């Protein structure tokens, strides 16, 4: 009998990501946060649910889709990792996977996301029925000049200032009217930025 | 001696691609016009009487359409000039910049009160281009002052992120009540769009263009520079403008004013009227 398996497929460019470079320049120069932020990286994070008898079977379904279609990644320019995050709502630790001690993550997705549905529809058209849902996130990894520590409210304020566009000066990575966003701290704690 | 013509700056950010045709449209409306680079001296930018932010892909739409350009220093100058009453029109990517900068709707100036979200369309996704039929919802703005309230104005859209949205409860109602929704998507006969494709992106209540409370800053998704001459209109366009286009076929009338020129004429009229009031 098939059970539900959830995976994160993380896709990033092999080469330097120009989008992340532009975002970093905007944060450091246009928003004046050069002293607080030292790096920025970007990846597409696909949250994929698959119904399969085994987790290995579910993994193989996704691996095959990645290898044989260009829907998620182009092997000439992207690298990817696939992680099983269980069968229920992924925990904060899953979202924090791969973060280094001086990094925090901001996760962004559209409030009314249609991209996942479009990809799901394309997958159905090629006869794959066991993928049941797909949602695309952007995961921004922000490298801070000072490693964050638990309970540091200044760090959360800084992440919010970078993560949520609330004003002319404040916020870049998400627009709270069209997108939802979350902050993830390296020890696996999650904070809602825009619900 | 005749009055000097209004002098308009078309502000070009890296990645924009509609500045030249926008400049021509402004010239055709009777203003003088220069393309001003985003990193030019703002001391010179202040000398212009009005501003147009054209369409394109500023900063390649990185992060989110308009998001990075909205943080550019030159936008500070636009804020100052708008505060002084000068008109600013943002077209498509220009509109995305104004929304991301918090210039529109500008209830609390500088606060981001709306977003331009990805299009929502049945059975498709992403970038979409189509002729739309705009209904003039309010004339008291720098983009609609020369348009008649009953006009249906055919202007094409071309975007992936053009759906006006907000999480602020009641804001859209307040914008309608205050006359800040200046353009809406309609059917060719001028009745409100009942859905896709007349509303090409799923925008709340068919909103196509919004102004600030004073009416001197407008963010609009359709491209008026692409319907500023009759020859730009397709012959199969429905409605009155389509009839005029078919009649113009093969003659000099093809080089006459198209419906989109009314937006640029509005900009010129708005400046002229401001000068008379001052």
């Amino acid at each position: 009998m098939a059970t539900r398996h959830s995976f994160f497929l993380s896709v990033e460019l092999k080469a330097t990501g120009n989008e992340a470079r532009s975002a970093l320049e905007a944060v450091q120069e246009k928003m004046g946060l050069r002293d607080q932020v030292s790096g920025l990286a970007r990846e597409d994070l696909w949250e994929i649910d698959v119904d399969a008898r085994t987790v290995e079977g579910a993994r193989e379904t996704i691996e095959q889709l990645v290898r044989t279609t260009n829907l998620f990644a182009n092997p000439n320019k992207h690298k990817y990792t696939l992680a099983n995050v269980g069968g229920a709502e992924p925990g904060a630790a899953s979202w924090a996977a791969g973060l280094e001690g001086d990094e925090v993550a901001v996760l962004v997705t559209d409030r009314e996301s249609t991209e996942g549905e479009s990809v799901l529809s394309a997958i159905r058209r090629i006869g794959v029925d066991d993928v049941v849902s797909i949602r695309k996130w952007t995961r921004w990894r922000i490298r801070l000049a000072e490693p964050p520590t638990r309970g540091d409210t200044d760090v959360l304020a800084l992440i919010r200032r970078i993560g949520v566009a609330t004003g002319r000066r404040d916020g870049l990575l998400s627009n709270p009217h069209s997108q939802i966003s979350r902050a993830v701290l390296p020890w696996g704690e999650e904070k809602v930025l825009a619900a | 001696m005749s009055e000097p013509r209004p002098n308009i700056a078309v502000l070009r950010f890296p990645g924009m691609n509609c500045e030249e045709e926008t400049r021509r449209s402004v010239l055709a409306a009777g203003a003088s016009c220069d393309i001003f680079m985003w990193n030019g001296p703002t001391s010179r930018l202040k000398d212009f009487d009005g501003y147009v932010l054209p369409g394109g892909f500023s900063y390649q739409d990185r992060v989110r359409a308009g998001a990075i350009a909205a943080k550019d220093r030159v936008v500070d100058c636009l804020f100052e000039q708008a505060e002084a009453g000068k008109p600013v029109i943002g077209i498509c990517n220009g509109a995305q910049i104004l929304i991301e900068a918090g210039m529109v709707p500008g209830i609390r100036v500088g606060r981001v009160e709306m977003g331009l979200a990805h299009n929502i369309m049945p059975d498709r996704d992403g970038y979409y281009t189509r002729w739309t039929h705009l209904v003039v919802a309010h004339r008291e703005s720098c983009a609609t002052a020369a348009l008649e309230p009953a006009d249906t104005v055919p202007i094409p859209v071309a975007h992936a992120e053009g759906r006006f949205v907000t999480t602020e409860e009641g804001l859209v109602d307040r914008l309608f009540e205050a006359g800040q929704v200046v353009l809406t998507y309609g059917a060719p006969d001028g009745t409100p769009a009942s859905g896709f494709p007349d509303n090409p992106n799923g925008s709340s209540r068919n909103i196509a263009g919004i102004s600030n409370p004073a009416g001197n800053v407008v963010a609009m998704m359709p491209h008026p520079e692409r319907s500023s001459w009759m020859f730009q209109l397709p012959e199969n366009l429905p409605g009155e403008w389509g009839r005029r286009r078919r009649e113009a076929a093969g003659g000099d009338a093809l080089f006459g004013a198209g419906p989109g020129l009314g937006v640029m004429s509005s900009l010129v009229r708005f400046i002229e009227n401001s000068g008379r009031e001052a």
Side-chain angles (χ1 to χ4, degrees):
Chain A
M1 188 179 149
T3 53
R4 181 79 33 100
H5 303 278
S6 297
F7 284 82
F8 281 170
L9 173 67
S10 170
V11 179
E12 58 186 316
L13 288 168
K14 292 176 178 174
T16 302
N18 286 333
E19 187 160 4
R21 289 289 294 267
S22 293
L24 178 62
E25 199 221 328
V27 168
Q28 289 184 328
E29 307 304 330
K30 299 180 200 297
M31 294 170 63
L33 297 173
R34 174 170 280 283
D35 292 340
Q36 291 97 321
V37 177
S38 60
L40 200 57
R42 178 192 181 284
E43 62 201 87
D44 289 335
L45 195 64
W46 298 87
E47 188 180 1
I48 305 171
D49 290 338
V50 181
D51 281 348
R53 287 179 184 275
T54 64
V55 67
E56 291 77 18
R59 178 184 292 275
E60 179 51 30
T61 295
I62 299 172
E63 290 271 12
Q64 191 166 359
L65 284 169
V66 175
R67 283 196 305 268
T68 58
T69 73
N70 275 355
L71 291 169
F72 300 102
N74 179 331
N76 297 303
K77 62 178 184 177
H78 294 121
K79 54 186 177 183
Y80 68 89
T81 56
L82 184 61
N84 177 228
V85 292
E89 185 74 12
S94 302
W95 298 103
L99 285 183
E100 296 183 15
D102 58 353
E103 286 185 323
V104 296
V106 172
L107 293 146
V108 181
T109 190
D110 284 358
R111 288 183 180 279
E112 297 167 270
S113 175
T114 56
E115 194 169 359
E117 284 174 26
S118 292
V119 171
L120 188 60
S121 172
I123 288 171
R124 295 262 161 76
R125 283 199 297 275
I126 58 174
V128 178
D129 294 326
D130 39 1
V131 177
V132 291
S133 74
I134 297 177
R135 188 173 190 105
K136 186 183 179 187
W137 296 78
T138 299
R139 189 170 87 147
W140 298 92
R141 292 202 319 270
I142 304 168
R143 188 175 296 278
L144 303 175
E146 294 288 332
T149 53
R150 289 174 193 265
D152 184 347
T153 52
D154 289 347
V155 167
L156 273 177
L158 176 63
I159 298 169
R160 192 174 293 279
R161 189 169 168 214
I162 299 166
V164 187
T166 54
R168 160 89 178 92
R169 303 281 177 206
D170 296 324
L172 178 70
L173 302 179
S174 70
N175 180 314
H177 301 286
S178 59
Q179 297 172 310
I180 56 177
S181 54
R182 304 171 180 171
V184 180
L185 299 159
W187 50 87
E189 186 181 352
E190 183 180 329
K191 298 281 183 187
V192 173
L193 296 177
Chain B
M1 205 169 101
S2 62
E3 291 281 321
R5 293 188 300 168
N7 194 16
I8 308 294
V10 172
L11 194 55
R12 184 189 187 281
F13 290 88
M16 283 179 157
N17 58 13
C18 300
E19 63 274 13
E20 181 55 34
E21 51 268 58
T22 301
R23 186 182 73 89
R24 291 182 191 197
S25 179
V26 171
L27 290 172
S32 55
C33 185
D34 285 322
I35 294 170
F36 190 93
M37 300 295 274
W38 84 104
N39 55 358
T42 52
S43 56
R44 201 167 74 74
L45 187 62
K46 291 172 182 171
D47 293 339
F48 289 91
D49 301 309
Y51 308 89
V52 181
L53 280 62
F57 303 87
S58 62
Y59 294 95
Q60 210 182 30
D61 281 355
R62 291 174 186 175
V63 182
R64 194 172 56 260
I68 293 182
K71 299 277 189 278
D72 262 322
R73 284 205 187 98
V74 71
V75 177
D76 289 337
C77 182
L78 285 182
F79 265 96
E80 290 168 12
Q81 299 308 303
E83 196 66 24
K86 290 185 187 178
V88 182
I89 296 178
I91 299 166
C92 195
N93 189 224
Q96 291 160 338
I97 294 169
L98 296 180
I99 293 286
E100 289 284 344
M103 290 183 76
V104 175
I107 308 294
R108 293 166 295 159
V109 178
R111 303 298 297 171
V112 178
E113 297 165 313
M114 298 192 88
L116 280 161
H118 282 103
N119 302 342
I120 289 189
M121 305 169 287
D123 302 323
R124 63 181 75 206
D125 189 37
Y127 195 88
Y128 186 65
T129 181
R130 178 185 181 83
W131 280 83
T132 62
H133 299 270
L134 300 179
V135 176
V136 181
H138 194 73
R139 280 191 71 204
E140 306 299 318
S141 86
C142 63
T144 54
L147 299 172
E148 292 303 319
D151 278 354
T152 300
V153 188
I155 298 182
V157 294
H159 56 250
E161 298 167 47
R163 184 166 53 95
F164 284 93
V165 293
T166 182
T167 54
E168 295 199 11
E169 203 171 328
L171 177 62
V172 171
D173 286 338
R174 293 202 299 278
L175 294 177
F176 271 99
E177 286 162 13
Q180 286 184 244
V181 176
V182 296
L183 292 165
T184 57
Y185 297 111
D189 64 3
T191 56
S194 57
F196 185 84
D198 288 333
N199 177 337
N201 53 34
S203 189
S204 303
R205 293 175 60 182
N206 297 326
I207 296 173
I210 291 179
S211 78
N212 67 344
N216 67 316
V217 185
V218 170
M220 59 182 290
M221 289 310 298
H223 283 264
E225 79 282 4
R226 296 183 190 176
S227 73
S228 289
W229 290 271
M230 292 298 284
F231 65 77
Q232 293 177 303
L233 275 57
E235 286 197 22
N236 63 355
L237 190 72
E240 172 61 16
W241 280 100
R243 185 189 63 74
R244 287 190 221 174
R245 169 64 181 84
R246 288 184 287 278
E247 284 180 3
D252 289 344
L254 273 180
F255 298 93
L261 193 61
V263 173
M264 302 308 184
S265 299
S266 297
L267 178 62
V268 172
R269 183 181 294 184
F270 190 91
I271 293 167
E272 290 171 344
N273 289 347
S274 302
R276 275 195 282 275
E277 286 167 11

